[in-house]
Amino acid sequence: MRIDITFLRSRVARRIFTLFIICALIPITVLATLSFIHVTKNLNEQSQRRLHRASKATGMTIYERLLFLKAEMKLVASNYSSSRDAVQTLNKGFVEYLKEHFEGLVIHTKSSSPLPLFGRINNPPALTTAEEKHLSSGKVLVASRYYPDISSQVFISMALDPQDLREGIFVGEIRSSYLWGVGDTDTLPPMTELSVLDQSNNIIFSTLSGPVSFPEETVLRMGRSASGQFAWQHGDSGDYLASYWLLFLKNEFFTPKWTVVLSESKANVLAPMANFKKIFPLVALLSLWVVLLLSVIQIRKNLVPLEKLQEGTRRISNRDFKTKVNVTSGDEFEELAESFNTMASLLDRQFNAISTISEIDRTILSVLDTNKIVDTILTRMHDFFPCDSTSVALLDTDNKDIAQIYAVDATHKGKKQVKTVRLLPEEERKLCDNPRGFLVSEKEEIPGYLVPMVGHGIKSSFVIPILLKEGLSGIISLGFMGS
Protein backbone atom coordinates (compact mmCIF):
# COMPACT_ATOMS: atom_id res chain seq x y z
CA MET A 1 0.00 0.00 0.00
CA ARG A 2 1.38 3.39 -1.00
CA ILE A 3 0.88 6.28 1.38
CA ASP A 4 0.26 9.68 -0.18
CA ILE A 5 2.45 12.16 1.64
CA THR A 6 2.18 15.06 -0.79
CA PHE A 7 0.26 16.97 1.86
CA LEU A 8 3.51 17.24 3.86
CA ARG A 9 4.54 20.06 1.57
CA SER A 10 2.59 22.28 3.91
CA ARG A 11 4.53 23.68 6.86
CA VAL A 12 1.50 23.24 9.11
CA ALA A 13 1.20 19.61 8.00
CA ARG A 14 4.87 18.95 8.69
CA ARG A 15 4.65 20.60 12.09
CA ILE A 16 1.54 18.66 13.11
CA PHE A 17 2.97 15.43 11.71
CA THR A 18 6.24 15.89 13.61
CA LEU A 19 4.39 16.74 16.82
CA PHE A 20 2.08 13.76 16.38
CA ILE A 21 5.00 11.38 15.82
CA ILE A 22 6.93 12.75 18.80
CA CYS A 23 3.89 12.50 21.06
CA ALA A 24 3.31 8.92 19.93
CA LEU A 25 6.95 7.86 19.69
CA ILE A 26 8.03 8.96 23.16
CA PRO A 27 5.28 7.06 25.06
CA ILE A 28 5.71 3.98 22.86
CA THR A 29 9.50 4.04 23.31
CA VAL A 30 9.26 4.51 27.08
CA LEU A 31 6.54 1.87 27.38
CA ALA A 32 8.46 -0.55 25.16
CA THR A 33 11.68 -0.04 27.13
CA LEU A 34 10.00 -0.47 30.51
CA SER A 35 8.04 -3.48 29.27
CA PHE A 36 11.15 -5.06 27.81
CA ILE A 37 13.13 -4.58 31.02
CA HIS A 38 10.24 -5.78 33.19
CA VAL A 39 9.43 -8.84 31.09
CA THR A 40 13.10 -9.74 30.71
CA LYS A 41 13.56 -9.50 34.45
CA ASN A 42 10.44 -11.60 35.12
CA LEU A 43 11.44 -14.26 32.61
CA ASN A 44 14.90 -14.47 34.13
CA GLU A 45 13.50 -14.68 37.65
CA GLN A 46 10.96 -17.31 36.62
CA SER A 47 13.69 -19.40 35.02
CA GLN A 48 15.82 -19.13 38.15
CA ARG A 49 12.89 -20.00 40.43
CA ARG A 50 11.99 -22.95 38.25
CA LEU A 51 15.56 -24.21 38.35
CA HIS A 52 15.70 -23.68 42.13
CA ARG A 53 12.49 -25.64 42.67
CA ALA A 54 13.74 -28.40 40.39
CA SER A 55 17.03 -28.73 42.32
CA LYS A 56 15.16 -28.91 45.62
CA ALA A 57 12.69 -31.45 44.24
CA THR A 58 15.56 -33.56 42.91
CA GLY A 59 17.29 -33.45 46.30
CA MET A 60 14.11 -34.47 48.09
CA THR A 61 13.62 -37.32 45.61
CA ILE A 62 17.13 -38.60 46.35
CA TYR A 63 16.43 -38.38 50.08
CA GLU A 64 13.15 -40.27 49.67
CA ARG A 65 14.94 -43.01 47.75
CA LEU A 66 17.47 -43.33 50.57
CA LEU A 67 14.62 -43.75 53.04
CA PHE A 68 13.01 -46.31 50.78
CA LEU A 69 16.29 -48.24 50.52
CA LYS A 70 16.58 -48.12 54.29
CA ALA A 71 13.12 -49.68 54.62
CA GLU A 72 14.00 -52.40 52.12
CA MET A 73 17.20 -53.28 54.01
CA LYS A 74 15.31 -53.48 57.29
CA LEU A 75 12.82 -55.83 55.65
CA VAL A 76 15.58 -58.14 54.43
CA ALA A 77 17.44 -57.86 57.76
CA SER A 78 14.33 -58.81 59.71
CA ASN A 79 14.00 -61.99 57.68
CA TYR A 80 17.63 -62.79 58.28
CA SER A 81 17.50 -62.11 62.00
CA SER A 82 14.46 -64.31 62.48
CA SER A 83 16.01 -67.23 60.66
CA ARG A 84 19.49 -67.61 59.32
CA ASP A 85 18.14 -69.59 56.40
CA ALA A 86 15.21 -67.30 55.68
CA VAL A 87 17.21 -65.03 53.45
CA GLN A 88 18.07 -67.97 51.24
CA THR A 89 14.41 -68.56 50.64
CA LEU A 90 13.50 -65.00 49.66
CA ASN A 91 10.99 -64.75 46.89
CA LYS A 92 12.80 -64.69 43.57
CA GLY A 93 10.59 -61.84 42.36
CA PHE A 94 11.53 -59.80 45.41
CA VAL A 95 15.22 -60.52 44.79
CA GLU A 96 14.89 -59.35 41.21
CA TYR A 97 13.18 -56.23 42.52
CA LEU A 98 16.06 -55.60 44.92
CA LYS A 99 18.55 -55.98 42.07
CA GLU A 100 16.96 -52.91 40.42
CA HIS A 101 17.97 -50.87 43.49
CA PHE A 102 21.23 -52.54 44.59
CA GLU A 103 24.35 -53.66 42.81
CA GLY A 104 24.75 -56.19 45.58
CA LEU A 105 23.81 -57.02 49.19
CA VAL A 106 26.38 -58.56 51.57
CA ILE A 107 26.50 -59.41 55.27
CA HIS A 108 29.88 -58.73 56.91
CA THR A 109 30.89 -60.32 60.19
CA LYS A 110 34.17 -60.10 62.09
CA SER A 111 34.37 -63.83 62.69
CA SER A 112 33.67 -65.14 59.20
CA SER A 113 33.94 -64.26 55.55
CA PRO A 114 31.29 -62.02 53.92
CA LEU A 115 27.98 -63.67 53.12
CA PRO A 116 26.64 -62.38 49.76
CA LEU A 117 22.90 -62.32 49.38
CA PHE A 118 23.19 -61.43 45.70
CA GLY A 119 25.66 -59.60 43.51
CA ARG A 120 29.09 -58.41 44.52
CA ILE A 121 30.43 -55.41 46.39
CA ASN A 122 33.88 -54.23 45.48
CA ASN A 123 35.96 -52.47 48.11
CA PRO A 124 33.32 -51.88 50.78
CA PRO A 125 34.32 -49.02 53.11
CA ALA A 126 35.87 -49.86 56.45
CA LEU A 127 33.89 -48.56 59.39
CA THR A 128 35.30 -45.95 61.70
CA THR A 129 34.63 -45.87 65.42
CA ALA A 130 32.14 -43.04 64.96
CA GLU A 131 30.34 -44.95 62.23
CA GLU A 132 30.12 -48.09 64.38
CA LYS A 133 28.66 -45.98 67.18
CA HIS A 134 26.07 -44.63 64.71
CA LEU A 135 25.12 -48.18 63.69
CA SER A 136 24.91 -49.21 67.36
CA SER A 137 22.16 -46.63 67.79
CA GLY A 138 20.02 -48.56 65.32
CA LYS A 139 20.39 -46.06 62.50
CA VAL A 140 21.48 -46.56 58.90
CA LEU A 141 24.82 -45.44 57.55
CA VAL A 142 25.27 -43.97 54.03
CA ALA A 143 28.84 -43.54 52.78
CA SER A 144 30.34 -42.71 49.42
CA ARG A 145 33.68 -43.59 47.90
CA TYR A 146 35.06 -41.01 45.47
CA TYR A 147 37.03 -41.98 42.36
CA PRO A 148 38.40 -39.18 40.18
CA ASP A 149 38.22 -41.01 36.84
CA ILE A 150 35.37 -43.49 37.28
CA SER A 151 31.90 -43.49 38.77
CA SER A 152 31.91 -43.23 42.55
CA GLN A 153 30.22 -45.77 44.79
CA VAL A 154 27.50 -45.17 47.37
CA PHE A 155 26.99 -47.72 50.16
CA ILE A 156 24.22 -48.13 52.69
CA SER A 157 24.83 -50.16 55.87
CA MET A 158 22.91 -51.24 58.94
CA ALA A 159 23.58 -53.53 61.91
CA LEU A 160 21.73 -56.82 62.08
CA ASP A 161 21.77 -56.42 65.86
CA PRO A 162 22.47 -52.87 67.05
CA GLN A 163 23.28 -54.24 70.52
CA ASP A 164 25.99 -56.54 69.16
CA LEU A 165 27.76 -55.55 65.95
CA ARG A 166 29.49 -58.93 65.93
CA GLU A 167 26.25 -60.40 64.65
CA GLY A 168 27.05 -58.74 61.34
CA ILE A 169 26.71 -55.59 59.25
CA PHE A 170 24.27 -55.58 56.38
CA VAL A 171 25.96 -53.65 53.48
CA GLY A 172 24.50 -52.76 50.12
CA GLU A 173 25.94 -50.90 47.15
CA ILE A 174 23.24 -48.63 45.74
CA ARG A 175 22.64 -48.77 42.02
CA SER A 176 23.40 -45.29 40.57
CA SER A 177 20.59 -45.33 38.02
CA TYR A 178 18.04 -45.77 40.80
CA LEU A 179 19.51 -43.40 43.40
CA TRP A 180 20.11 -40.49 41.02
CA GLY A 181 17.05 -41.09 38.83
CA VAL A 182 18.90 -41.57 35.53
CA GLY A 183 18.94 -44.20 32.83
CA ASP A 184 15.72 -46.11 32.24
CA THR A 185 14.17 -44.54 35.33
CA ASP A 186 15.07 -40.99 34.38
CA THR A 187 13.17 -38.60 36.64
CA LEU A 188 15.27 -35.49 36.07
CA PRO A 189 13.56 -32.38 34.69
CA PRO A 190 13.90 -32.05 30.89
CA MET A 191 17.14 -30.58 29.52
CA THR A 192 18.85 -30.55 32.92
CA GLU A 193 22.12 -32.06 34.12
CA LEU A 194 22.60 -33.44 37.63
CA SER A 195 25.77 -33.27 39.69
CA VAL A 196 26.13 -34.39 43.32
CA LEU A 197 28.96 -33.32 45.60
CA ASP A 198 29.88 -35.08 48.85
CA GLN A 199 30.83 -33.43 52.12
CA SER A 200 34.36 -32.83 50.77
CA ASN A 201 32.94 -31.17 47.62
CA ASN A 202 34.05 -34.09 45.48
CA ILE A 203 31.73 -34.84 42.60
CA ILE A 204 30.44 -38.34 43.28
CA PHE A 205 27.98 -38.31 40.40
CA SER A 206 27.33 -36.24 37.27
CA THR A 207 25.35 -36.70 34.09
CA LEU A 208 27.73 -34.37 32.27
CA SER A 209 30.38 -35.93 30.10
CA GLY A 210 34.04 -35.41 30.87
CA PRO A 211 35.56 -33.94 34.03
CA VAL A 212 33.32 -31.50 35.86
CA SER A 213 34.77 -28.60 37.79
CA PHE A 214 32.76 -25.82 39.39
CA PRO A 215 34.28 -22.37 40.02
CA GLU A 216 36.21 -22.24 43.26
CA GLU A 217 34.28 -19.28 44.65
CA THR A 218 31.04 -21.12 43.90
CA VAL A 219 32.21 -24.19 45.80
CA LEU A 220 33.09 -22.00 48.78
CA ARG A 221 29.69 -20.38 48.65
CA MET A 222 28.01 -23.77 48.66
CA GLY A 223 29.55 -24.43 52.05
CA ARG A 224 28.13 -21.22 53.47
CA SER A 225 24.50 -21.37 52.26
CA ALA A 226 21.89 -24.09 51.99
CA SER A 227 20.83 -23.09 48.47
CA GLY A 228 21.77 -20.69 45.75
CA GLN A 229 22.36 -20.14 42.07
CA PHE A 230 25.39 -19.52 39.90
CA ALA A 231 26.58 -19.54 36.32
CA TRP A 232 29.46 -21.64 35.08
CA GLN A 233 31.03 -23.05 31.93
CA HIS A 234 31.63 -26.71 31.17
CA GLY A 235 34.25 -27.28 28.52
CA ASP A 236 32.88 -27.04 25.00
CA SER A 237 29.30 -27.63 26.13
CA GLY A 238 28.79 -23.93 26.69
CA ASP A 239 27.47 -21.80 29.51
CA TYR A 240 25.17 -23.18 32.18
CA LEU A 241 22.91 -21.73 34.82
CA ALA A 242 22.85 -23.86 37.95
CA SER A 243 20.94 -24.06 41.20
CA TYR A 244 22.18 -26.02 44.20
CA TRP A 245 20.46 -27.36 47.27
CA LEU A 246 22.10 -28.95 50.31
CA LEU A 247 20.80 -32.35 51.29
CA PHE A 248 21.50 -32.77 55.02
CA LEU A 249 21.98 -36.45 55.94
CA LYS A 250 23.83 -36.21 59.25
CA ASN A 251 21.04 -37.14 61.63
CA GLU A 252 19.58 -40.02 59.64
CA PHE A 253 22.52 -41.40 57.65
CA PHE A 254 25.58 -39.95 59.46
CA THR A 255 26.94 -38.48 56.22
CA PRO A 256 27.16 -34.70 56.83
CA LYS A 257 25.69 -33.51 53.55
CA TRP A 258 25.38 -33.90 49.84
CA THR A 259 25.09 -30.94 47.51
CA VAL A 260 22.64 -31.46 44.68
CA VAL A 261 23.47 -29.23 41.69
CA LEU A 262 21.01 -29.01 38.83
CA SER A 263 22.40 -27.31 35.71
CA GLU A 264 20.65 -26.24 32.56
CA SER A 265 22.13 -24.77 29.43
CA LYS A 266 21.82 -21.03 29.49
CA ALA A 267 20.44 -21.16 25.95
CA ASN A 268 17.59 -23.38 27.17
CA VAL A 269 16.94 -21.36 30.33
CA LEU A 270 16.82 -18.10 28.44
CA ALA A 271 15.02 -19.51 25.39
CA PRO A 272 11.70 -17.79 26.29
CA MET A 273 13.60 -14.56 26.86
CA ALA A 274 15.47 -14.98 23.57
CA ASN A 275 12.18 -15.45 21.73
CA PHE A 276 10.78 -12.44 23.54
CA LYS A 277 13.79 -10.37 22.46
CA LYS A 278 13.11 -11.35 18.86
CA ILE A 279 9.38 -10.81 18.91
CA PHE A 280 9.14 -7.70 21.09
CA PRO A 281 11.12 -5.32 18.81
CA LEU A 282 8.98 -6.46 15.88
CA VAL A 283 5.82 -5.75 17.86
CA ALA A 284 7.17 -2.34 18.91
CA LEU A 285 8.14 -1.58 15.30
CA LEU A 286 4.71 -2.70 14.10
CA SER A 287 3.09 -0.44 16.69
CA LEU A 288 5.23 2.44 15.48
CA TRP A 289 4.23 1.79 11.88
CA VAL A 290 0.57 1.64 12.88
CA VAL A 291 0.94 4.98 14.68
CA LEU A 292 2.72 6.39 11.64
CA LEU A 293 0.01 5.14 9.28
CA LEU A 294 -2.83 6.40 11.46
CA SER A 295 -1.12 9.77 11.93
CA VAL A 296 -0.64 10.15 8.18
CA ILE A 297 -4.26 9.19 7.52
CA GLN A 298 -5.68 11.48 10.20
CA ILE A 299 -3.43 14.44 9.38
CA ARG A 300 -4.08 14.01 5.68
CA LYS A 301 -7.81 13.82 6.37
CA ASN A 302 -7.63 17.15 8.19
CA LEU A 303 -5.03 19.02 6.18
CA VAL A 304 -5.76 17.96 2.60
CA PRO A 305 -9.12 19.79 2.72
CA LEU A 306 -7.29 22.86 4.00
CA GLU A 307 -4.80 22.55 1.17
CA LYS A 308 -7.65 22.33 -1.35
CA LEU A 309 -9.31 25.37 0.18
CA GLN A 310 -5.99 27.20 0.01
CA GLU A 311 -5.70 26.34 -3.68
CA GLY A 312 -9.28 27.52 -4.15
CA THR A 313 -8.46 30.93 -2.64
CA ARG A 314 -5.50 31.21 -5.06
CA ARG A 315 -7.81 30.49 -7.99
CA ILE A 316 -10.30 33.08 -6.77
CA SER A 317 -7.51 35.62 -6.50
CA ASN A 318 -6.80 34.83 -10.18
CA ARG A 319 -10.53 35.30 -10.93
CA ASP A 320 -11.12 31.58 -11.55
CA PHE A 321 -14.60 31.09 -10.10
CA LYS A 322 -15.59 28.03 -12.13
CA THR A 323 -13.33 25.37 -10.56
CA LYS A 324 -14.98 23.81 -7.54
CA VAL A 325 -13.27 22.72 -4.35
CA ASN A 326 -14.05 19.01 -3.99
CA VAL A 327 -13.93 17.79 -0.37
CA THR A 328 -15.67 14.55 0.67
CA SER A 329 -14.48 14.22 4.28
CA GLY A 330 -18.02 14.05 5.67
CA ASP A 331 -17.28 16.64 8.36
CA GLU A 332 -17.07 20.40 8.84
CA PHE A 333 -14.42 20.64 6.11
CA GLU A 334 -16.93 19.38 3.55
CA GLU A 335 -19.48 21.95 4.75
CA LEU A 336 -16.81 24.63 4.55
CA ALA A 337 -15.97 23.56 0.99
CA GLU A 338 -19.64 23.76 0.01
CA SER A 339 -19.87 27.25 1.50
CA PHE A 340 -16.67 28.17 -0.31
CA ASN A 341 -18.09 26.96 -3.63
CA THR A 342 -21.30 28.90 -2.99
CA MET A 343 -19.26 32.02 -2.27
CA ALA A 344 -17.25 31.43 -5.46
CA SER A 345 -20.47 31.15 -7.47
CA LEU A 346 -21.80 34.38 -5.97
CA LEU A 347 -18.53 36.14 -6.69
CA ASP A 348 -18.61 34.78 -10.23
CA ARG A 349 -22.09 36.17 -10.73
CA GLN A 350 -21.15 39.49 -9.19
CA PHE A 351 -17.99 39.82 -11.25
CA ASN A 352 -19.92 38.81 -14.38
CA ALA A 353 -22.58 41.41 -13.53
CA ILE A 354 -19.96 44.10 -13.03
CA SER A 355 -18.19 43.03 -16.20
CA THR A 356 -21.47 43.00 -18.14
CA ILE A 357 -22.52 46.39 -16.86
CA SER A 358 -19.07 47.75 -17.58
CA GLU A 359 -19.11 46.38 -21.13
CA ILE A 360 -22.59 47.71 -21.75
CA ASP A 361 -21.51 51.12 -20.42
CA ARG A 362 -18.45 51.12 -22.64
CA THR A 363 -20.51 50.11 -25.64
CA ILE A 364 -23.08 52.79 -25.03
CA LEU A 365 -20.44 55.43 -24.42
CA SER A 366 -18.19 54.41 -27.28
CA VAL A 367 -20.66 53.87 -30.10
CA LEU A 368 -23.88 55.42 -31.25
CA ASP A 369 -25.00 52.42 -33.28
CA THR A 370 -28.24 51.18 -31.75
CA ASN A 371 -27.85 47.69 -33.16
CA LYS A 372 -24.44 47.23 -31.51
CA ILE A 373 -25.77 48.44 -28.19
CA VAL A 374 -28.73 46.07 -28.42
CA ASP A 375 -26.48 43.18 -29.47
CA THR A 376 -24.23 43.78 -26.49
CA ILE A 377 -27.16 43.84 -24.09
CA LEU A 378 -28.72 40.69 -25.56
CA THR A 379 -25.40 38.80 -25.59
CA ARG A 380 -24.19 39.70 -22.11
CA MET A 381 -27.55 39.63 -20.37
CA HIS A 382 -27.43 35.79 -20.34
CA ASP A 383 -24.14 36.01 -18.41
CA PHE A 384 -25.62 38.45 -15.96
CA PHE A 385 -28.98 36.70 -15.46
CA PRO A 386 -29.49 32.91 -15.83
CA CYS A 387 -32.56 33.30 -18.09
CA ASP A 388 -33.76 31.35 -21.10
CA SER A 389 -34.59 34.29 -23.34
CA THR A 390 -33.85 38.01 -23.47
CA SER A 391 -35.53 40.84 -25.31
CA VAL A 392 -35.02 44.58 -25.59
CA ALA A 393 -37.80 46.87 -26.71
CA LEU A 394 -36.93 50.39 -27.88
CA LEU A 395 -39.72 52.96 -28.25
CA ASP A 396 -39.84 55.12 -31.36
CA THR A 397 -38.77 58.65 -30.44
CA ASP A 398 -41.41 60.13 -32.73
CA ASN A 399 -44.22 57.71 -31.88
CA LYS A 400 -44.16 56.40 -28.32
CA ASP A 401 -46.81 53.80 -29.13
CA ILE A 402 -44.54 51.91 -31.47
CA ALA A 403 -41.80 49.64 -30.04
CA GLN A 404 -39.08 47.74 -31.88
CA ILE A 405 -38.58 44.33 -30.17
CA TYR A 406 -35.14 42.64 -30.32
CA ALA A 407 -35.25 39.11 -28.84
CA VAL A 408 -32.73 36.32 -28.43
CA ASP A 409 -33.92 32.81 -27.63
CA ALA A 410 -31.25 30.76 -25.87
CA THR A 411 -32.62 27.58 -27.46
CA HIS A 412 -31.95 29.03 -30.91
CA LYS A 413 -28.23 29.58 -30.27
CA GLY A 414 -28.58 33.31 -29.73
CA LYS A 415 -30.25 34.15 -33.11
CA LYS A 416 -31.70 37.63 -32.84
CA GLN A 417 -35.33 38.21 -33.81
CA VAL A 418 -36.73 41.68 -34.58
CA LYS A 419 -40.41 42.57 -34.42
CA THR A 420 -42.44 45.77 -34.27
CA VAL A 421 -45.40 45.97 -31.89
CA ARG A 422 -47.79 48.63 -30.73
CA LEU A 423 -47.72 49.52 -27.04
CA LEU A 424 -51.14 49.92 -25.44
CA PRO A 425 -51.75 52.81 -23.00
CA GLU A 426 -52.48 50.48 -20.06
CA GLU A 427 -49.26 48.62 -20.79
CA GLU A 428 -47.29 51.86 -20.77
CA ARG A 429 -48.96 52.95 -17.49
CA LYS A 430 -48.05 49.67 -15.80
CA LEU A 431 -44.45 50.04 -16.95
CA CYS A 432 -44.21 53.57 -15.65
CA ASP A 433 -45.85 52.65 -12.35
CA ASN A 434 -43.32 49.82 -11.71
CA PRO A 435 -39.87 51.32 -12.35
CA ARG A 436 -38.17 48.44 -10.45
CA GLY A 437 -39.75 45.79 -12.66
CA PHE A 438 -42.47 43.20 -12.27
CA LEU A 439 -43.19 39.56 -13.12
CA VAL A 440 -45.60 38.45 -15.83
CA SER A 441 -46.74 34.78 -15.91
CA GLU A 442 -48.52 32.84 -18.62
CA LYS A 443 -51.70 32.90 -16.53
CA GLU A 444 -51.99 36.65 -16.97
CA GLU A 445 -52.78 38.61 -20.08
CA ILE A 446 -49.59 38.72 -22.12
CA PRO A 447 -48.61 42.22 -23.26
CA GLY A 448 -47.65 42.67 -26.89
CA TYR A 449 -43.95 43.33 -26.21
CA LEU A 450 -43.68 39.80 -24.69
CA VAL A 451 -45.41 37.93 -27.51
CA PRO A 452 -42.15 37.12 -29.38
CA MET A 453 -40.78 35.28 -26.29
CA VAL A 454 -44.02 33.52 -25.38
CA GLY A 455 -44.13 32.07 -28.85
CA HIS A 456 -40.93 30.14 -28.04
CA GLY A 457 -42.22 28.45 -24.88
CA ILE A 458 -41.49 31.12 -22.28
CA LYS A 459 -43.77 30.61 -19.27
CA SER A 460 -42.91 33.69 -17.24
CA SER A 461 -41.02 36.92 -17.77
CA PHE A 462 -39.46 39.58 -15.62
CA VAL A 463 -39.97 43.01 -17.13
CA ILE A 464 -37.64 45.95 -16.41
CA PRO A 465 -38.76 49.36 -17.78
CA ILE A 466 -36.15 51.85 -18.95
CA LEU A 467 -37.26 55.33 -17.92
CA LEU A 468 -35.57 58.42 -19.18
CA LYS A 469 -36.61 61.81 -17.78
CA GLU A 470 -39.63 60.13 -16.22
CA GLY A 471 -40.70 58.88 -19.57
CA LEU A 472 -40.61 55.33 -20.95
CA SER A 473 -37.74 54.81 -23.40
CA GLY A 474 -37.37 51.07 -23.55
CA ILE A 475 -38.10 47.68 -22.01
CA ILE A 476 -35.76 44.79 -21.03
CA SER A 477 -37.47 41.44 -20.59
CA LEU A 478 -36.01 38.22 -19.16
CA GLY A 479 -37.89 35.08 -20.09
CA PHE A 480 -37.93 31.76 -18.18
CA MET A 481 -39.18 28.37 -19.29
CA GLY A 482 -40.47 27.53 -15.82
CA SER A 483 -43.63 29.11 -14.44
Side-chain angles (χ1 to χ4, degrees), residues 52-319:
H52 173 72
R53 289 193 296 266
S55 64
K56 182 178 179 180
T58 302
M60 294 303 298
T61 301
I62 293 173
Y63 188 78
E64 289 173 357
R65 291 195 180 108
L66 289 175
L67 294 176
F68 193 69
L69 292 170
K70 171 185 172 181
E72 290 179 338
M73 290 192 69
K74 284 187 174 182
L75 178 61
V76 177
S78 64
N79 290 334
Y80 181 82
S81 61
S82 62
S83 173
R84 290 282 175 164
D85 297 329
V87 73
Q88 303 296 332
T89 60
L90 286 175
N91 184 280
K92 291 183 178 180
F94 182 58
V95 172
E96 293 300 322
Y97 173 75
L98 291 175
K99 287 181 179 180
E100 295 178 359
H101 298 171
F102 296 94
E103 296 287 349
L105 284 175
V106 177
I107 297 176
H108 286 270
T109 60
K110 294 183 179 180
S111 59
S112 61
S113 59
L115 175 63
L117 302 183
F118 64 84
R120 295 183 58 186
I121 297 179
N122 297 321
N123 301 321
L127 299 177
T128 64
T129 303
E131 291 173 340
E132 290 180 350
K133 184 178 180 180
H134 178 77
L135 292 175
S136 299
S137 65
K139 295 183 179 180
V140 175
L141 173 67
V142 173
S144 61
R145 176 165 287 179
Y146 168 70
Y147 299 101
D149 300 326
I150 61 175
S151 298
S152 300
Q153 295 174 293
V154 180
F155 302 95
I156 184 169
S157 305
M158 66 174 295
L160 293 177
D161 185 2
Q163 303 299 325
D164 186 3
L165 296 183
R166 290 176 297 180
E167 288 292 321
I169 306 297
F170 196 21
V171 182
E173 182 181 349
I174 303 175
R175 189 178 289 274
S176 296
S177 59
Y178 171 73
L179 178 61
W180 311 123
V182 295
D184 295 336
T185 59
D186 190 358
T187 58
L188 295 177
M191 297 179 294
T192 58
E193 304 291 345
L194 174 64
S195 299
V196 181
L197 287 70
D198 62 11
Q199 63 273 14
S200 301
N201 292 325
N202 296 318
I203 298 177
I204 58 175
F205 177 79
S206 180
T207 57
L208 291 165
S209 60
V212 178
S213 177
F214 295 114
E216 183 178 352
E217 62 274 11
T218 300
V219 175
L220 294 175
R221 189 172 59 185
M222 289 180 186
R224 295 193 297 265
S225 60
S227 63
Q229 294 177 328
F230 63 93
W232 66 291
Q233 188 175 18
H234 176 59
D236 298 332
S237 301
D239 296 330
Y240 284 85
L241 291 178
S243 180
Y244 66 89
W245 192 71
L246 294 187
L247 187 59
F248 295 100
L249 306 173
K250 180 69 175 178
N251 182 59
E252 190 71 29
F253 300 105
F254 194 71
T255 298
K257 66 175 182 177
W258 284 349
T259 304
V260 178
V261 181
L262 205 61
S263 302
E264 187 174 354
S265 172
K266 185 177 290 186
N268 293 333
V269 173
L270 302 180
M273 190 161 56
N275 293 333
F276 174 75
K277 288 181 179 179
K278 292 179 182 178
I279 296 174
F280 189 81
L282 297 179
V283 174
L285 184 61
L286 177 62
S287 301
L288 182 60
W289 275 108
V290 170
V291 170
L292 178 63
L293 177 62
L294 293 178
S295 64
V296 169
I297 293 174
Q298 291 299 320
I299 295 174
R300 186 177 184 277
K301 182 179 179 181
N302 291 329
L303 292 184
V304 167
L306 290 179
E307 186 177 358
K308 290 183 178 180
L309 290 170
Q310 185 181 20
E311 292 176 358
T313 57
R314 293 195 188 100
R315 289 195 297 268
I316 287 180
S317 65
N318 295 326
R319 295 192 177 184

Side-chain angles (χ1 to χ4, degrees), residues 144 243 321 365 454:
S144 61
S243 180
F321 305 104
L365 294 175
V454 173

Side-chain angles (χ1 to χ4, degrees), residues 316 320-324 338-352:
I316 287 180
D320 178 9
F321 305 104
K322 302 297 184 182
T323 305
K324 303 296 183 181
E338 292 176 356
S339 300
F340 187 89
N341 292 332
T342 302
M343 179 192 69
S345 299
L346 293 176
L347 289 175
D348 184 32
R349 292 175 57 185
Q350 291 178 2
F351 272 94
N352 284 336

Side-chain angles (χ1 to χ4, degrees), residues 319 321 345-363 376 380-385:
R319 295 192 177 184
F321 305 104
S345 299
L346 293 176
L347 289 175
D348 184 32
R349 292 175 57 185
Q350 291 178 2
F351 272 94
N352 284 336
I354 293 173
S355 176
T356 300
I357 294 173
S358 176
E359 185 173 348
I360 293 174
D361 289 344
R362 286 196 304 270
T363 302
T376 301
R380 297 305 305 272
M381 194 62 69
H382 288 287
D383 298 332
F384 188 57
F385 293 107

Side-chain angles (χ1 to χ4, degrees), residues 22-62:
I22 291 175
C23 292
L25 184 61
I26 291 178
I28 287 180
T29 303
V30 173
L31 180 61
T33 302
L34 293 178
S35 299
F36 183 80
I37 294 174
H38 181 70
V39 173
T40 301
K41 182 180 178 181
N42 284 345
L43 287 175
N44 192 23
E45 291 177 352
Q46 288 176 7
S47 299
Q48 292 178 354
R49 286 196 297 267
R50 177 177 54 82
L51 197 58
H52 173 72
R53 289 193 296 266
S55 64
K56 182 178 179 180
T58 302
M60 294 303 298
T61 301
I62 293 173

Side-chain angles (χ1 to χ4, degrees), residues 307-438:
E307 186 177 358
K308 290 183 178 180
L309 290 170
Q310 185 181 20
E311 292 176 358
T313 57
R314 293 195 188 100
R315 289 195 297 268
I316 287 180
S317 65
N318 295 326
R319 295 192 177 184
D320 178 9
F321 305 104
K322 302 297 184 182
T323 305
K324 303 296 183 181
V325 176
N326 186 21
V327 176
T328 57
S329 59
D331 53 16
E332 288 78 3
F333 286 110
E334 184 173 351
E335 296 177 1
L336 181 61
E338 292 176 356
S339 300
F340 187 89
N341 292 332
T342 302
M343 179 192 69
S345 299
L346 293 176
L347 289 175
D348 184 32
R349 292 175 57 185
Q350 291 178 2
F351 272 94
N352 284 336
I354 293 173
S355 176
T356 300
I357 294 173
S358 176
E359 185 173 348
I360 293 174
D361 289 344
R362 286 196 304 270
T363 302
I364 293 174
L365 294 175
S366 61
V367 298
L368 297 177
D369 189 343
T370 302
N371 289 327
K372 287 185 178 182
I373 296 173
V374 170
D375 289 341
T376 301
I377 295 174
L378 294 176
T379 302
R380 297 305 305 272
M381 194 62 69
H382 288 287
D383 298 332
F384 188 57
F385 293 107
C387 55
D388 300 308
S389 180
T390 307
S391 69
V392 176
L394 297 179
L395 273 64
D396 193 329
T397 55
D398 297 328
N399 189 354
K400 295 293 183 178
D401 296 337
I402 304 298
Q404 192 79 17
I405 308 297
Y406 303 88
V408 174
D409 189 351
T411 59
H412 289 75
K413 299 181 180 179
K415 183 179 179 181
K416 184 174 67 174
Q417 298 178 357
V418 182
K419 190 174 183 179
T420 302
V421 298
R422 180 176 294 278
L423 196 64
L424 300 177
E426 58 271 16
E427 295 174 347
E428 182 178 358
R429 270 195 310 274
K430 186 175 182 179
L431 289 168
C432 293
D433 293 339
N434 297 278
R436 296 193 177 191
F438 54 90

